[in-house]
DNA sequence: GCTTCAAAATGACTTTTATCATATATTTGA
DNA sequence: TCAAATATATGATAAAAGTCATTTTGAAGC
């Protein structure tokens, strides 16, 4: 049995689409939603499907990915607490463009499509938040496109290690607080698994990162930024 | 002196953000906007800038691109009549993520930021249209990411020739109704200019396309679809 | 219609990255 | 804890794509 999660909690998370909604609105959403859990590895949404609602993630980490020609995953982005899944498809009235799979045990709230649209109609602020969110992600997607098109595999790997650190943070020992296989990293970078393995070894030998099995620690962020040619 | 363009015209173009707005709203927008022209080659918006309004394109063709490390353009998408420029940046309150340059003489209407937000506030329909638009583009961006990450240059070139045909259509002789240099095509595909030149020659020798200088004609769309591994 | 300049085409060569094979290490679950 | 499965590591090789140099063609301006 799930402990119900109050929408007030999620509305205060950074970047939440529910940010700034008044208590009455949040209470109303609370009544329309149901709480669900997903086990590590469980598929939450399938590319091509027509979702009947959106998920608001409360705990856990999720990868969003499309499947290429040979069935190879291309990870588009990660989803963590406070983020929505499925809203793109519902709002553009198109099939889901990316599958979602839990990277660890995940708790989320399910808001049916009709309720979701009701919140939009009743709360211009929510609608504006969603606009801001999707426009922000559009910018991020543009950056990813430019990286993939113009940077080398090594540059992209360094860039993604930095993105992982920003997105998931570090544990007490300084290791990235996300567990990904080399294959998953390759599926983000857009390269072969072996190439990622080789380059991670190289970065480790250079002392810029540490790695113990799946665990990766960024030792020298500015070196990675230099390798990635990120000037921000 | 520009002939003023009525917003009713653009609101009827396919995919217009102004679709479905009532006449009063459109009249009001007409009063807030100014008409501007851009010459072929002219830069309309600069990456990194803070736009003070959006452009609604009435006539012409525009490329949106980001600049990579070496100053190389990466074309993200094209903009044609009925499309908006600059809305992403204004809505996410971030600097412009892509520069815009006119590929041919272009006519557009400029709507100041404050007016743009007023239209959003007064017309939930407009706000919803923008949401739909940005979410659709987010899906397209995801597809582009997967292509860049997983497909070969030849596959991507074939794909983009098909996209160009869909976006710009053909003239009386069947040639694509858009004039791009090989370099610009390379900047879409994410490859070197010489590679595009070689592959275009190859596709021509195979009879799948014709090309006379810059003009390109798709002879065999299904062959291109097969090369691009597009199964839609 | 020339002339000039830029774009396209092509060849030779290099670099990057992918693929395949195999060995080693790390998880996972019984 | 140990065995089996999975993931990581590394080498050898092949394929893809990039770079540089040069020629040919086409477009734009006079």
């Amino acid at each position: 049995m799930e402990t119900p999660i109050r929408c007030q909690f999620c509305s205060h998370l950074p970047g939440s689409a529910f940010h700034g909604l008044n208590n009455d609105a949040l209470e109303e959403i609370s009544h329309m939603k149901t709480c669900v859990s997903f086990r590590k590895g469980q598929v939450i949404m399938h590319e091509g499907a027509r979702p009947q609602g959106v998920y608001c993630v409360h705990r856990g980490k999720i990868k969003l990915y499309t499947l290429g020609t040979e069935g190879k995953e291309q990870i588009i982005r990660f989803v963590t607490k406070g983020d929505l899944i499925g809203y793109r498809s519902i709002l553009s009235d198109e099939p889901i463009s990316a599958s979602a799979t839990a990277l660890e045990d995940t708790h989320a709230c399910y808001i049916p499509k009709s309720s979701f649209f009701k919140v939009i109609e009743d709360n211009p602020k929510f609608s504006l938040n969603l606009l801001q969110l999707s426009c922000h992600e559009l910018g991020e997607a543009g950056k990813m496109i430019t990286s993939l098109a113009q940077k080398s595999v090594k540059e992209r790997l360094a860039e993604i290690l930095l993105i992982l650190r920003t997105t998931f943070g570090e544990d007490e020992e300084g290791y990235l607080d996300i567990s990904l296989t080399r294959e998953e990293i390759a599926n983000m970078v857009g390269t072969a698994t072996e190439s990622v393995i080789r380059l991670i070894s190289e970065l480790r030998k250079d002392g810029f990162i540490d790695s113990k099995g799946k665990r990766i620690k960024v030792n020298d962020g500015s070196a990675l930024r230099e390798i990635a040619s990120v000037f921000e």
Side-chain angles (χ1 to χ4, degrees), chain A residues 161-176:
Chain A
L161 290 175
L162 292 168
I163 289 174
L164 290 176
R165 188 168 66 160
T166 306
T167 309
F168 297 109
E170 299 166 331
D171 63 18
E172 328 74 48
E173 296 175 70
Y175 284 90
L176 295 180

Side-chain angles (χ1 to χ4, degrees), chain A residues 66 83-84 105 107 178:
Chain A
T66 57
D83 296 336
L84 296 178
D105 291 357
H107 295 249
I178 175 75

Side-chain angles (χ1 to χ4, degrees), chain A residues 41-70:
Chain A
Q42 204 176 336
V43 176
I44 298 170
M45 283 192 169
H46 247 119
E47 193 173 342
R50 286 275 181 178
Q52 295 307 306
V54 303
Y55 291 101
C56 177
V57 177
H58 169 243
R59 192 149 67 83
K61 288 158 191 152
I62 293 153
K63 61 177 173 184
L64 294 191
Y65 55 95
T66 57
L67 293 174
T69 323
E70 315 293 334

Side-chain angles (χ1 to χ4, degrees), chain A residues 157 161 182 185 195-205 209 211 216:
Chain A
L157 173 62
L161 290 175
R182 300 289 191 265
I185 295 174
S195 297
V196 163
I197 290 172
R198 267 180 248 274
L199 288 168
I200 283 182
S201 300
E202 194 183 319
L203 291 175
R204 188 179 49 234
K205 278 168 197 157
I209 64 173
S211 76
I216 295 175

Side-chain angles (χ1 to χ4, degrees), chain A residues 36-231:
Chain A
V36 287
S37 293
F38 300 96
R39 287 298 176 82
K40 177 178 176 175
Q42 204 176 336
V43 176
I44 298 170
M45 283 192 169
H46 247 119
E47 193 173 342
R50 286 275 181 178
Q52 295 307 306
V54 303
Y55 291 101
C56 177
V57 177
H58 169 243
R59 192 149 67 83
K61 288 158 191 152
I62 293 153
K63 61 177 173 184
L64 294 191
Y65 55 95
T66 57
L67 293 174
T69 323
E70 315 293 334
K72 188 180 175 186
E73 288 182 8
Q74 176 60 38
I75 297 182
I76 305 288
R77 65 188 177 91
F78 295 103
V79 170
T80 55
K81 66 180 175 190
D83 296 336
L84 296 178
I85 300 181
Y87 80 97
R88 195 210 64 80
S89 162
I90 282 188
L91 287 170
S92 68
D93 194 28
E94 295 166 330
I96 298 232
S97 58
S99 300
T101 294
L103 292 168
E104 49 186 55
D105 291 357
T106 291
H107 295 249
C109 296
Y110 181 76
I111 304 170
K113 196 169 163 174
S114 55
S115 308
F116 183 70
F117 274 113
K118 187 170 185 315
V119 183
I120 290 179
E121 277 164 32
D122 296 350
N123 302 276
K125 170 71 178 162
F126 182 59
S127 171
L128 209 59
N129 284 351
L130 286 174
L131 258 177
Q132 189 170 354
L133 214 71
S134 58
C135 286
H136 171 74
E137 278 176 18
L138 213 42
E140 295 298 310
K143 284 184 201 165
M144 193 161 176
I145 287 170
T146 306
S147 271
L148 282 166
Q150 299 195 358
K151 289 186 177 179
S152 69
V153 172
K154 188 173 180 181
E155 290 174 300
R156 268 141 54 202
L157 173 62
E159 192 170 36
I160 275 164
L161 290 175
L162 292 168
I163 289 174
L164 290 176
R165 188 168 66 160
T166 306
T167 309
F168 297 109
E170 299 166 331
D171 63 18
E172 328 74 48
E173 296 175 70
Y175 284 90
L176 295 180
D177 198 12
I178 175 75
S179 172
L180 296 169
T181 64
R182 300 289 191 265
E183 187 180 1
E184 283 169 324
I185 295 174
N187 290 345
M188 267 216 91
V189 174
T191 189
T193 306
E194 294 93 325
S195 297
V196 163
I197 290 172
R198 267 180 248 274
L199 288 168
I200 283 182
S201 300
E202 194 183 319
L203 291 175
R204 188 179 49 234
K205 278 168 197 157
D206 290 338
F208 303 145
I209 64 173
D210 270 348
S211 76
K212 283 185 184 173
K214 285 187 175 185
R215 303 178 69 211
I216 295 175
K217 169 157 64 173
V218 174
N219 285 332
D220 190 342
S222 52
L224 290 188
R225 259 189 300 281
E226 189 148 326
I227 290 169
S229 315
V230 174
F231 311 113

